[in-house]
């Protein structure tokens, strides 16, 4: 047990860009430690596989952050875009969690996900066409031109957001997810108001003319099934959870493969390894390095440390997935690794609902990109890359990824 208050998050660029050594050193000191977050709030940080897995399933650790805020003003305050968007499945406990997850799950049944594959391929293909128009020797930004718009287009298809509206919505979300210290800047307040208004109008439009999409399904379920606040919160959470995470996996994954040319060659030689490679890239690059915040509903002993009631808990998935007790040689990227599931998509009742969709998107994204550009390379030095997202807690993705696509496989 440690009495010293560790600082967690708000790291200097060197740690933010490569946090794994920092996670390992902290985990070696103690798997559960009280920390102060970059915004000043206290939280118990949970490190290592066993403690993380327990924290994600322990019923005494609650996800009802709104109730927690009333019990203890010291938990992280709900950020933008405000209470309209805070009652979704990731912020509630059963039975509300069970009800909301069941409703949204209707869009995630295997047949519906598989049916999206041609649309995902079409989006990936047209994004690559646009990037290729710059010429084989040109530098293009793979984040802005591929990793972001691909999952954003897919979540747009799933929800039924008209294609013409997506650029506007995408721009707002980019502002909102760019991260900042202290009070939100005016641009974020404006983006937030834009999203609130847009999603409300979208729900109204689907009420008038329903279509074969998730917004129509949720609207049709009616007020008895979910309140307007729950409906808007769920839509907001799906857009956030559905694009930034996958964009980070694509960007981080490309960098990891370019950093490990032997692994890239192994994948190119045997594309059948792609499914396993994607899970290994999630483990190794931590697109979601921490789970979302939780709070103790009663006293909980975790990793030998007693956490008092009403305290905030932050589970470090990036540390769990590099635990040497669970993954031998954890700092080695090995697409042939068969060590069983990692915690990159979480665990327990809040396990990522979108995991099958994320895996499908990543499969199509890597197949299309590497199939057309097997000799893709970084345009600038490796040191020029920088990871974004403010405090670096819940998301870990690149600001930009300048690459030269090079000639396609047939030309050279
Ligand atoms: C590589 C991509 C992704 C990663 C690494 C990821 C990771 C995660 C993690 C770690 C959680 C659990 C958070 C917690 O327990 O605090 C989660 C939950 C969730 N994710 Fe994902 N996610 C990804 C993509 C997606 C996509 C594409 C969607 C939907 C389109 C999605 C929808 C959700 C939802 C709805 C939840 C909440 C589940 C619940 O509370 O029951 N995610 N995700």
């Amino acid at each position: 047990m440690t009495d010293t208050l560790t600082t967690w998050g708000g790291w200097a660029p060197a740690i933010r860009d490569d946090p794994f050594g920092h996670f390992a050193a902290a985990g070696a000191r103690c798997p559960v430690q009280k920390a102060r977050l970059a915004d000043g709030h206290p939280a118990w940080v949970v490190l290592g596989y066993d403690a993380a897995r327990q924290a994600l399933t322990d019923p005494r650790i609650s996800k009802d952050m709104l109730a927690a805020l009333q019990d203890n003003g010291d938990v992280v305050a709900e950020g933008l875009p405000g209470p309209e968007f805070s009652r979704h499945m990731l912020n509630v406990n059963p039975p509300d969690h069970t009800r909301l997850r069941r409703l949204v799950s209707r869009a995630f049944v295997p047949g519906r996900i598989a049916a999206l594959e041609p649309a995902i391929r079409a989006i990936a293909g047209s994004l690559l066409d646009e990037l290729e128009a710059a010429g084989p020797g040109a530098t293009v930004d793979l984040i802005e031109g591929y990793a972001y718009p691909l999952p954003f287009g897919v979540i747009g298809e799933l929800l039924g957001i008209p294609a013409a509206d997506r650029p506007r919505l995408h721009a707002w979300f980019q502002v909102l997810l760019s991260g900042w210290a202290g009070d939100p800047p005016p641009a974020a307040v404006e983006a937030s108001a834009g999203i609130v208004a847009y999603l409300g109008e979208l729900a109204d439009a689907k009420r008038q003319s329903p279509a074969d999409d998730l917004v129509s399904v949720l609207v049709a379920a009616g007020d008895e099934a979910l309140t307007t606040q729950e409906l808007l919160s769920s839509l907001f959470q799906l857009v956030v959870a559905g694009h930034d995470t996958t964009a980070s996996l694509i960007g981080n994954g490309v960098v990891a493969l370019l950093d490990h040319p032997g692994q890239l060659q192994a994948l190119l030689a045997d594309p059948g390894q792609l499914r396993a490679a994607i899970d290994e890239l999630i483990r190794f690059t931590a697109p979601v390095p921490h789970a979302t915040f939780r709070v103790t509903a009663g006293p909980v002993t975790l990793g030998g440390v007693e956490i008092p009631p009403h305290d905030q808990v932050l589970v470090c998935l990036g540390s769990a997935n590099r635990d040497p007790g669970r993954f031998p040689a954890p700092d080695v990227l090995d697409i042939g690794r068969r060590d069983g599931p990692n915690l990159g998509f979480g665990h327990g009742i809040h396990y990522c609902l979108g995991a099958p969709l994320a895996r499908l998107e990543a499969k199509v994204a890597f197949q299309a990109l590497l199939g057309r550009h097997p000799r893709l390379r970084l345009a600038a030095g490796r040191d020029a890359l920088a990871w974004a997202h403010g405090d670096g807690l819940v998301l870990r993705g690149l600001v930009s990824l300048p690459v030269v696509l090079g000639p396609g496989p047939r030309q050279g």
Side-chain angles (χ1 to χ4, degrees):
M1 153 99 196
T2 176
D3 290 316
T4 18
L5 218 52
T6 321
T7 305
W8 204 256
W11 291 298
I15 295 182
R16 197 193 49 206
D17 291 357
D18 185 4
F20 302 103
H22 190 73
F23 294 166
R29 284 197 300 278
C30 186
V32 177
Q33 41 192 286
K34 189 157 188 179
R36 190 161 295 289
L37 304 175
D39 65 3
H41 287 98
W44 292 83
V45 176
V46 179
L47 299 148
Y49 187 84
D50 291 340
R53 206 163 182 273
Q54 186 194 329
L56 293 174
T57 43
D58 195 316
R60 294 164 303 173
I61 300 185
S62 161
K63 279 299 285 154
D64 190 342
M65 301 309 287
L66 286 182
L69 198 56
Q70 280 154 20
D71 292 335
N72 175 1
D74 241 2
V75 302
V76 165
E78 283 299 308
L80 280 172
E84 299 92 331
F85 286 160
S86 47
R87 272 197 75 81
H88 48 72
M89 70 180 91
L90 204 41
N91 263 355
V92 291
N93 293 326
D96 289 331
H97 172 263
T98 323
R99 173 175 55 85
L100 292 176
R101 184 166 169 127
R102 193 173 291 145
L103 280 167
V104 177
S105 295
R106 291 176 190 173
F108 287 86
V109 290
R112 222 174 223 275
I113 297 300
L116 282 169
E117 184 160 346
I120 303 174
R121 260 183 218 293
I123 293 171
S126 78
L127 291 169
L128 286 176
D129 290 345
E130 282 171 36
L131 292 178
E132 286 161 6
T139 296
V140 294
D141 181 0
L142 213 54
I143 297 295
E144 193 192 357
Y146 194 64
Y148 255 103
L150 190 154
F152 200 82
V154 176
I155 197 72
E157 293 285 319
L158 191 76
L159 292 185
I161 297 169
D165 296 349
R166 290 178 202 163
R168 185 165 43 124
L169 202 59
H170 190 192
W172 281 327
F173 273 99
Q174 276 182 316
V175 173
L176 211 59
L177 296 172
S178 61
W180 56 81
D183 290 336
V189 176
E190 203 181 299
S192 167
I195 295 170
V196 172
Y198 179 82
L199 291 181
E201 285 163 21
L202 182 67
D204 286 344
K206 300 289 179 186
R207 213 168 270 125
Q208 301 297 324
S209 2
D212 184 22
D213 56 49
L214 180 58
V215 178
S216 301
V217 168
L218 293 182
V219 167
D223 296 345
E224 319 78 52
L226 80 175
T227 65
T228 303
Q229 187 200 21
E230 288 170 340
L231 168 70
L232 293 182
S233 302
S234 301
L235 298 181
F236 176 79
Q237 192 246 342
L238 282 168
V239 178
V240 174
H243 84 283
D244 217 0
T245 49
T246 313
S248 297
L249 168 59
I250 297 170
N252 295 353
V254 167
V255 174
L257 289 172
L258 294 178
D259 278 346
H260 297 82
Q263 295 291 302
L264 175 57
Q265 289 314 316
L267 184 58
L268 290 171
D270 180 7
Q273 295 208 67
L274 187 53
R275 162 70 208 252
I278 287 167
D279 277 11
E280 173 66 350
L281 289 171
I282 291 173
R283 185 195 71 79
F284 187 79
T285 73
V288 178
H290 297 83
T292 54
F293 287 103
R294 286 162 162 72
V295 70
T296 48
V300 179
T301 302
L302 204 60
V305 175
E306 184 170 319
I307 308 179
H310 310 309
D311 272 13
Q312 186 160 252
V313 176
L314 181 64
V315 180
C316 184
L317 305 173
S319 148
N321 285 339
R322 298 267 194 134
D323 185 332
R326 172 68 184 79
F327 300 99
D331 297 325
V332 173
L333 175 75
D334 176 6
I335 62 166
R337 190 184 281 280
R338 299 292 181 266
D339 293 328
N342 66 66
L343 299 185
F345 284 118
H347 183 66
I349 62 168
H350 292 282
Y351 178 81
C352 179
L353 180 61
L357 177 60
R359 287 196 177 99
L360 176 62
E361 289 181 51
K363 180 187 91 170
V364 172
F366 284 111
Q367 273 173 349
L369 179 67
L370 298 176
R372 275 161 77 156
H373 299 286
R375 275 166 286 166
L376 164 91
R377 60 182 165 82
L378 291 184
R382 176 66 170 75
D383 292 348
L385 296 179
W387 271 263
H389 295 311
D391 62 11
L393 290 180
V394 176
L395 293 164
R396 177 174 184 268
L398 288 154
V399 183
S400 64
L401 179 49
V403 297
V404 175
L405 294 175
R410 281 184 300 277
Q411 285 93 12

